[in-house]
Amino acid sequence: MKKTVLLLLILLLLSACSPDRDTLQKENAADANAAKENSEQSRNNEEETIPPSSKETAYNEISDEDQDEDEDLYALAKIQAVEIPSVYDKEGNFPDNLTQEEYEKLSEEQGIVRYALDDHPIRGITSQGGKVTNVTNLTDALIDITESQAYQLPESVVPEAYQLFLQTRADEFANTPDSQYRTWEEATNLERSIMQIVLLIAPSLNDLGYLIENDEYEHPVFPIILEDFFHLGSPTVLVPVPQTGTDLALFEEMMKMKSMWEELGKFENPSANKEAFEETYRALRSETNNLIVRVNFALTE
């Protein structure tokens, strides 16, 4: 996914910097209008924004025989993920597991234990006595262990993406200089994963909001977006393990977020239950904006 599209779409996603949910929900209505006005421009710039209206796009003319165009539509609508080496060894186990003692020693030495995506980031950590082994994500991205995929931004996007989170502040941090925030390098795995996944789901949230606004519940990308969110909420997509005190609160928020992704994704027959579906969507959008502000706050700790 190219940088211009990511930055445009996250700007559409962001509303007020205040963490107050009621305020955010009111301003999300304005977000939807902004998405409507900018969606076509985004598609023209990079051709990675989903066409906003089934009545105004050639995708309406896709036939059963035109498989290539059908596949293109599916690829455009999907939340972007990158392929990584299999998280399993030949025997179907997680390689390079750690004991609790080894993990604690690494934490003392490194502060944040972080493995690269090609260095077995999914590891079992076995408790003292060897009775319990917890499957643990020790990288800075959400990982789908069934598909061996990671939700990771292109490296070229990271600096500007990080700046967006620094600029999205609660009122009490309006005058806080950037120097008082931890840098990307100093951020925890969990903080970095949240910054990445919010940017990666922003196109789908904005596209879905546009389709809802325009009563396009039968648009072909609608079920593709829902499928993605349902999958993100599944137990096979692992969030990085919390490693600091502030991570604990953010981890709870991410578990809540995963439940909301799943709820949206498994919503039955949205076109027949539009009001309830829109409420579910608005709640997710609002909580996403709240999460952005919470990450900003955590980076000052």
Side-chain angles (χ1 to χ4, degrees), residues 81-85 147-150:
V82 297
E83 300 294 329
I84 63 174
E147 302 294 335
S148 291
Q149 291 182 331

Side-chain angles (χ1 to χ4, degrees), residues 142 153-154:
L142 274 69
L153 288 173

Side-chain angles (χ1 to χ4, degrees), residues 54-278:
S54 62
K55 295 180 181 178
E56 300 171 355
T57 177
Y59 286 123
N60 252 354
E61 301 173 3
I62 293 173
S63 64
D64 292 337
E65 294 80 19
D66 201 344
Q67 187 65 32
D68 289 340
E69 287 191 33
D70 196 26
E71 290 176 354
D72 288 343
L73 173 64
Y74 187 80
L76 285 169
K78 294 290 289 180
I79 295 172
Q80 299 299 300
V82 297
E83 300 294 329
I84 63 174
S86 176
V87 300
Y88 302 102
D89 60 21
K90 293 181 179 179
E91 288 72 38
N93 301 315
F94 297 111
D96 296 342
N97 291 337
L98 301 167
T99 65
Q100 184 67 35
E101 293 87 345
E102 289 171 331
Y103 175 69
E104 290 175 358
K105 183 178 180 180
L106 286 171
S107 296
E108 291 175 3
E109 294 173 350
Q110 302 177 17
I112 298 298
V113 181
R114 180 181 297 138
Y115 292 104
L117 291 175
D118 60 357
D119 190 21
H120 308 300
I122 304 297
R123 306 194 179 200
I125 299 179
T126 304
S127 64
Q128 296 179 0
K131 295 182 178 180
V132 179
T133 298
N134 293 312
V135 179
T136 307
N137 180 352
L138 291 171
T139 194
D140 65 354
L142 274 69
I143 290 183
D144 176 358
I145 61 174
T146 58
E147 302 294 335
S148 291
Q149 291 182 331
Y151 293 91
Q152 183 184 62
L153 288 173
E155 188 174 349
S156 61
V157 175
V158 167
E160 291 182 63
Y162 186 65
Q163 282 299 313
L164 286 170
F165 276 79
L166 280 148
Q167 294 162 11
T168 309
R169 307 180 180 188
D171 291 342
E172 59 265 36
F173 293 100
N175 298 317
T176 303
D178 288 358
S179 59
Q180 292 190 25
Y181 286 82
R182 284 181 285 113
T183 64
W184 173 263
E185 290 72 24
E186 295 169 331
T188 68
N189 291 342
L190 183 56
E191 291 164 346
R192 285 163 61 152
S193 75
I194 293 172
M195 287 185 269
Q196 293 184 88
I197 195 61
V198 166
L199 281 160
L200 289 169
I201 68 173
S204 293
L205 280 176
N206 287 320
D207 290 336
L208 192 56
Y210 186 91
L211 295 174
I212 291 170
E213 282 290 310
N214 289 275
D215 199 26
E216 293 284 356
Y217 284 83
E218 303 304 323
H219 193 287
V221 306
F222 214 100
I224 299 172
I225 294 173
L226 297 192
E227 176 187 47
D228 265 347
F229 279 111
F230 180 75
H231 182 72
L232 274 176
S234 73
T236 60
V237 176
L238 301 187
V239 175
V241 65
Q243 298 191 45
T244 66
T246 54
D247 269 359
L248 293 173
L250 286 176
F251 188 79
E252 290 183 5
E253 290 296 322
M254 280 302 293
M255 292 301 99
K256 177 180 180 181
M257 188 67 68
K258 278 176 63 68
S259 295
M260 297 180 77
W261 290 336
E262 181 185 25
E263 181 182 6
L264 182 76
K266 70 180 183 183
F267 198 100
E268 294 185 6
N269 201 0
S271 61
N273 301 279
K274 295 178 182 178
E275 185 175 347
F277 182 79
E278 182 172 352

